[in-house]
Amino acid sequence: MCGMPQQPPVRSTPTPPARPDASMSLLTNVMDHSLDDGYAEAAARKRAAGDGGLPKTLRAKLGLAVGLVLAALVVTVGAAQARVAAPVVAKEREELIDRIDRETTAADKLEDTVDELRGEVSARQREALKTAGGSDGTELVGILAGAVEVHGPGVKLVVNDAKEAGTDGDGDPRGTSGFSDTGRVRDRDMQRVVNGLWESGAEAISINGQRLTALSAIRAAGDAILVDNKPLVPPYTVLAVGDGERLSRRFQDSADGLYLDALQESFGIRTNISVQDDLRLPAAPSVTVRTAQPNTENSEKGTS
């Protein structure tokens, strides 16, 4: 009996067992593949972009070196320009100094000319006073006009602001604006004082060394009292030449003297008057000479 050839039994290939880390595919991929490939790829991209592949620290050093070279170049150029410009500046400075010296010399010459002209004017004024006063009245006319110095007996009157008169934060009585404070001596107060002294028989008057004439003006400008446009500061010292005892008595009894007493009692303005044996008053710095003319019209009307 022929039997069928016997076939070897078919055996299936066994399936390899699953890896224990099959569920950790991302971590496995990172561990199985080195990161060197990524670094190599990045280096290739830098070379393709033209980067020399220099370390960053070396590039920074090169940039710093270039900056220092440029800065040194700028400083060198500036120093060279300064050396070039130095002679020009020195020359301009010398020219300016020379110009200042010339202008100063010219100003000094002008001041000398002004002084000479003032002397000439004073001499002509004295001649005019001599002609107007005659041989007997020359001295009296000069005194009344304020053209000559005077000395003799008289009175000394000191007028000052009240102690509490309008001081500012620093205690300066001149620091307040205007004359709103009634404890301040005003220009019209000094006007009444001077007019009262003239009326009482004063022959010559000065205020703080400023000689008064028939044309003198006492005004106010801001916080200052002006006499012939020259500012004065308190206390105001008034010197009046005349018969001392009589002048003092007549002034204190006059309306202007009583006005001054009222200022002292009501507002605290300080005053003091005293009789002096010898006072010296300077001449006025400038005198305007005017000659009076007789009024012929009234005389003609009276005779017609």
Side-chain angles (χ1 to χ4, degrees):
M1 159 177 191
C2 293
M4 296 288 294
Q6 188 175 358
Q7 297 292 332
V10 179
R11 300 178 62 184
S12 60
T13 303
T15 303
R19 295 180 57 177
D21 58 354
S23 62
M24 304 174 65
S25 59
L26 178 60
L27 182 61
T28 303
N29 184 38
V30 172
M31 297 297 295
D32 290 344
H33 298 83
S34 173
L35 296 178
D36 293 339
D37 296 338
Y39 284 116
E41 183 180 354
R45 286 198 304 269
K46 290 183 179 181
R47 285 193 297 272
D51 193 344
L54 296 176
K56 292 183 179 180
T57 55
L58 182 57
R59 288 199 303 273
K61 292 180 180 179
L62 290 176
L64 179 61
V66 172
L68 292 175
V69 170
L70 292 176
L73 180 61
V74 170
V75 172
T76 303
V77 172
Q81 291 178 349
R83 285 195 297 270
V84 172
V88 177
V89 174
K91 183 178 179 181
E92 292 179 353
R93 182 175 180 275
E94 292 177 357
E95 292 178 353
L96 181 59
I97 293 175
D98 293 339
R99 182 178 178 183
I100 292 174
D101 292 338
R102 290 194 302 268
E103 296 297 334
T104 302
T105 302
D108 293 339
K109 291 181 179 179
L110 290 176
E111 289 182 357
D112 295 338
T113 303
V114 170
D115 293 337
E116 293 177 0
L117 292 176
R118 284 177 178 171
E120 183 179 352
V121 169
S122 299
R124 291 182 179 272
Q125 287 175 348
R126 286 191 293 270
E127 290 295 330
L129 291 173
K130 182 177 180 180
T131 303
S135 58
D136 297 333
T138 303
E139 183 178 0
L140 178 60
V141 172
I143 292 174
L144 296 178
V148 296
E149 298 180 1
V150 296
H151 72 91
V155 296
K156 177 181 179 182
L157 174 62
V158 180
V159 184
N160 199 359
D161 295 339
K163 291 183 178 180
E164 306 300 330
T167 58
D168 63 1
D170 297 330
D172 182 9
R174 301 290 96 180
T176 58
S177 60
F179 286 85
S180 59
D181 194 308
T182 54
R184 296 277 303 282
V185 178
R186 309 184 185 186
D187 55 336
R188 62 173 177 263
D189 301 333
M190 297 306 301
Q191 291 172 3
R192 294 202 59 169
V193 167
V194 170
N195 290 334
L197 288 172
W198 285 125
E199 187 177 357
S200 299
E203 299 175 5
I205 299 177
S206 68
I207 302 178
N208 286 13
Q210 180 72 22
R211 179 74 174 274
L212 301 183
T213 69
L215 301 177
S216 294
I218 300 176
R219 297 189 179 91
D223 294 337
I225 294 178
L226 305 183
V227 174
D228 292 336
N229 296 323
K230 292 186 177 180
L232 304 180
V233 295
Y236 305 102
T237 301
V238 183
L239 301 180
V241 173
D243 186 346
E245 294 290 347
R246 182 170 178 269
L247 179 59
S248 175
R249 183 176 62 257
R250 291 187 62 179
F251 173 75
Q252 294 183 69
D253 293 339
S254 67
D256 298 313
L258 296 176
Y259 170 81
L260 194 60
D261 290 339
L263 292 180
Q264 183 176 10
E265 294 177 2
S266 301
F267 307 117
I269 289 177
R270 292 166 286 175
T271 64
N272 181 40
I273 187 170
S274 60
V275 178
Q276 302 291 320
D277 295 332
D278 187 24
L279 296 175
R280 292 187 176 274
L281 277 63
S286 61
V287 178
T288 301
V289 178
R290 296 180 181 177
T291 303
Q293 300 293 335
N295 190 349
T296 58
E297 294 182 359
N298 292 336
S299 60
E300 292 176 356
K301 289 179 180 180
T303 57
S304 59

